[in-house]
Structure formats: structure tokens, C-alpha cells
Amino acid sequence: MRRGLAVAAAVALLGGRASAQARIMSDAAAREVTLLADSASKAGAPVSALRAKAGEGLLKGADDARIVAAVRSLLGELLASRQALGPQSGDADVIAAASALHAGATTADLRRLVRAMGRDRGRSLAVPFTVFADLLTRAVPREAAVSQLARLLEQHAREADFSVMRSAIEMDIARGVSPGTSLERRASAMLPP
Amino acid sequence: MHDDEDDAMTPETIRAAQALRADVLPTEAWSEAVVQRAMSARRARGWFRVGAGMLAAAGVAFAAGLLVGGRDTPRAATAVAARDSGNVPVQTVAWSEAGADSGIARFVAVAPDAQSVEVVGDFNLWARGRTPLARMADGRTWSVQLPLGVGRHTYAFVIDGQLVRDRNAPASADDDFGVPSSVLLVQGRR
């Protein structure tokens, strides 16, 4: 029965078809992924993110051990995000927050951004968390990034504002401006006088 | 914007394609001007009123700016694209337009010699064959648009079976498999 489930999971992970590059996961690995997905489901974490991670690993030719490790690591980040954001948070927020954790953020950073929402609480934080992850990936100092993002949230910045700032910072970095300097300059330009 | 427009070239798609294949790509100054315009479009209470078109233009400007890389010769842009896409002579870009709780993502590749182009990502579980790009009437440009939920999405292009990261988008931090992906940010109208 479990073997059947594992095979079904592997097929599901591949979306019902094998591509030229993707391969079939072993029964044992598929079983582990299924167990991790079950854990995620019970804890209210988005299972789709785990399925996507496994599918990405298969497409990219990773071995089973690496795929299982990546899925397990992501599950930990999703659970930590869910706990930091609270049970009412949406899946998109949890997934984006998990990406920020993966990039070096702390759960305290996540909670700080949630608090910064103030009266806007209940709005999605998926876009700010994504920008946070991108900033960390681009070597923006963590404390500076979370501080500036919290300021923007306190000023009720909109999702489009974060998106434009992200593009502007990417452009600056491509020109050789230091990530920290760019963040400070762009965030300051966005804040009301 | 409707799903049944998949086969049509929208104004944004045309702009992106033109920017990508222009003999002389938009200059860095132009790209900066677009972003500055978006950033200076403040609302009465001090915040921005950024329209979908302006954001799309900012995205294209950003992508084109990166392709130019501070140089304004077509040769330089072509060299960058070929190197960045793993020796595949293509240029790629993706951006999204805001919706209420979802957005419309557009993926465009200029790959005149390709036989097949598709996009894989978390939205299709990285499964091949689910999201092909259609070749446009010009025979050089491939395009697809699809609705995506607000938030963060990772993706890559597959061109003639070869995984090609979109270098005109931020790299994903959670690359667990040694093959980088790109990040597309889909925003809502909030």
C-alpha cells in the first residue's frame, strides 16, 4: 500500500509525465517526500511548495538524497515561517517568508515586518518578504534591509512600491552601486518628505 | 487582460520584444528614466500611483538595462545574452501585471533558431510540457502569458531541451540543486 502511495507520489511530482530531463524518483525517496508532505499538511504548511521543490530537483537532475534534503529543509523553513506569521497567514506569505529565511533572515525579522504592518495587518506580506529575500541574496546587510522594509510598511507602502524599489536596486547593483547604499537611497526616495 | 489573448501580441509583449531585439537597445539613461518616473509618481498622500503599464515598462526597462549592461552597442548586448544563457543565442525576459489577488505573468524569449521554448517553475511543479511558449508571427519571438498568484515564483526557460536561467531577473536564493533559477515577483493591486 505504502509502495503504491510512494509511486503515486513520484508520478504526481512529475505531473503525470516524464520529460526528457526529469527522472523517476526511487520508491524510498518518494516515500520520504510523501511523509514530509503529510507533516506539512498536518501543520498547515503549503504542500504545493514541497511538491514544486521535488519537481525542481527531478528536472534539474539532482539525486534522491539531495532532493529529500532540500524538501526537508524547505519544510523546516515553511513551518518556522508559519509559526512566525501566525495561523491566519496565507500560503503565499508563508512561501515568501520561507524564501527570506533561506536567504538569511531570522524569524525575528519576519515578526518585525508583521508588526510593522500596524493597522494594515491582514494584508499580504508576500511581496515585501520576496523583496527581503532578494535583497539578502544581493548581499544587502540584513539589519539594513529589514529596517528599511519595516519603515516602508509603517508608511503603508503598497505592493507596487516594493516592486519598483526592487527593480531600481537591481539596476543600481548592475551598475556597481553597493547594495546597502542603493537600498538606503532608493528607500529614502520613496518615503514621504 | 484575458487568457484567450494568449495568441495575441499585447502592447506590453510588443514593447518587450522590441526592446529585446532592437538594433540599439534602450540606454541605461532611458531605463533609469522609466524607473525614476515610476518612483516619482506619488499619490496625494505621498505614496505612488504606479499603473500596470508603468510597472511593465519599468520591468522591461530594467531587463533591457541589464542586457545593455552600461554599453549601448548591439554587439555588447548580444555577447551578454549569449554568455548568460549558456551559449544559447537567445534573450529572455519575464514580468507581471498586477491583478486583485493574482497577476498575469508574461514570459518572452527572442530565440529565432529554437525549435521549442517552454517555461518551467513552481507554478507547474517544474514539469516539462505544461507551459510552452508560442512562436509569434515574426518567427523570432516566443511568448506565453498565464495567471499566477500574488507572491514569489521561481522559474526557468527550457529552450530546445536546455534549461536556461533568465538572467534578466534576480537569481533565486534557494537554489538547492546547483542550477540557478530566477525569481518573478507577482504583485496585487494593494
Side-chain angles (χ1 to χ4, degrees):
Chain A
M1 178 66 177
R2 293 197 70 83
R3 180 183 171 86
L5 284 174
V7 172
V11 171
L13 288 168
L14 287 168
R17 58 178 297 161
S19 74
Q21 293 169 327
R23 59 179 182 77
I24 298 293
M25 189 180 280
S26 71
D27 286 359
R31 200 159 40 240
E32 283 197 62
V33 171
T34 301
L35 289 172
L36 293 169
D38 287 347
S39 300
S41 181
K42 286 174 186 164
V47 176
S48 62
L50 300 179
R51 296 178 65 205
K53 177 60 71 180
E56 180 185 359
L58 288 171
L59 183 71
K60 291 181 174 178
D63 61 40
D64 286 350
R66 196 167 182 179
I67 293 173
V68 171
V71 171
R72 181 175 288 116
S73 172
L74 176 58
L75 173 59
E77 289 154 357
L78 291 170
L79 294 178
S81 297
R82 176 66 82 192
Q83 190 167 19
L85 273 54
Q88 75 289 349
S89 53
D91 284 355
D93 290 34
V94 172
I95 291 170
S99 73
L101 289 178
H102 198 90
T106 67
T107 53
D109 294 334
L110 303 182
R111 285 192 291 268
R112 182 174 174 184
L113 294 180
V114 170
R115 284 196 304 274
M117 294 281 282
R119 66 177 167 82
D120 290 338
R121 196 161 292 191
R123 260 182 49 184
S124 171
L125 275 167
V127 170
F129 283 146
T130 299
V131 173
F132 189 20
D134 288 346
L135 293 175
L136 294 175
T137 304
R138 302 310 301 259
V140 171
R142 183 180 61 81
E143 181 56 34
V146 72
S147 294
Q148 295 290 4
L149 291 173
R151 284 177 66 201
L152 294 171
L153 285 168
E154 286 162 0
Q155 296 293 329
H156 315 294
R158 297 185 169 204
E159 290 179 357
D161 306 326
F162 288 101
S163 185
V164 168
M165 186 183 77
R166 172 190 190 240
S167 290
I169 290 173
E170 285 284 340
M171 193 178 290
D172 285 346
I173 292 173
R175 289 178 187 155
V177 178
S178 83
T181 301
S182 173
L183 171 65
E184 187 176 354
R185 191 178 76 175
R186 298 296 187 174
S188 296
M190 291 176 67
L191 288 164
Chain B
M1 219 50 67
H2 305 288
D3 292 343
D4 57 5
E5 291 180 357
D6 278 356
D7 295 332
M9 287 282 274
T10 66
E12 291 78 14
T13 307
I14 292 169
R15 268 208 301 276
Q18 286 173 340
L20 287 171
R21 65 179 184 236
D23 286 341
V24 178
L25 287 166
T27 63
E28 187 178 3
W30 180 83
S31 302
E32 174 66 18
V34 173
V35 170
Q36 285 295 342
R37 185 176 165 218
M39 296 190 79
S40 63
R42 290 170 183 268
R43 300 175 55 211
R45 65 187 173 100
W47 281 109
F48 303 120
R49 188 191 301 122
V50 182
M54 190 179 292
L55 273 174
V60 172
F62 165 65
L66 281 185
L67 282 171
V68 172
R71 294 161 290 186
D72 59 2
T73 64
R75 179 175 299 174
T78 302
V80 170
R83 184 194 63 208
D84 285 351
S85 55
N87 295 324
V88 178
V90 300
Q91 298 176 34
T92 54
V93 66
W95 73 98
S96 68
E97 293 176 11
D101 293 313
S102 64
I104 298 293
R106 288 187 167 76
F107 299 89
V108 175
V110 179
D113 299 327
Q115 297 304 305
S116 70
V117 180
E118 61 182 296
V119 63
V120 288
D122 53 16
F123 41 83
N124 60 17
L125 300 182
W126 293 88
R128 292 280 307 274
R130 286 190 173 181
T131 317
L133 275 68
R135 193 195 289 268
M136 311 313 306
D138 67 357
R140 300 165 47 86
T141 308
W142 301 71
S143 173
V144 70
Q145 65 182 46
L146 62 157
L148 291 181
V150 169
R152 173 184 188 274
H153 297 279
T154 54
Y155 69 97
F157 289 88
V158 179
I159 299 175
D160 290 341
Q162 183 178 354
L163 206 58
V164 177
R165 187 176 97 68
D166 183 358
R167 293 281 181 161
N168 295 311
S172 171
D174 47 359
D175 169 36
D176 297 298
F177 307 114
V179 182
S181 308
S182 300
V183 177
L184 178 64
L185 175 59
V186 176
Q187 68 186 41
R189 288 196 182 116
R190 289 172 294 198

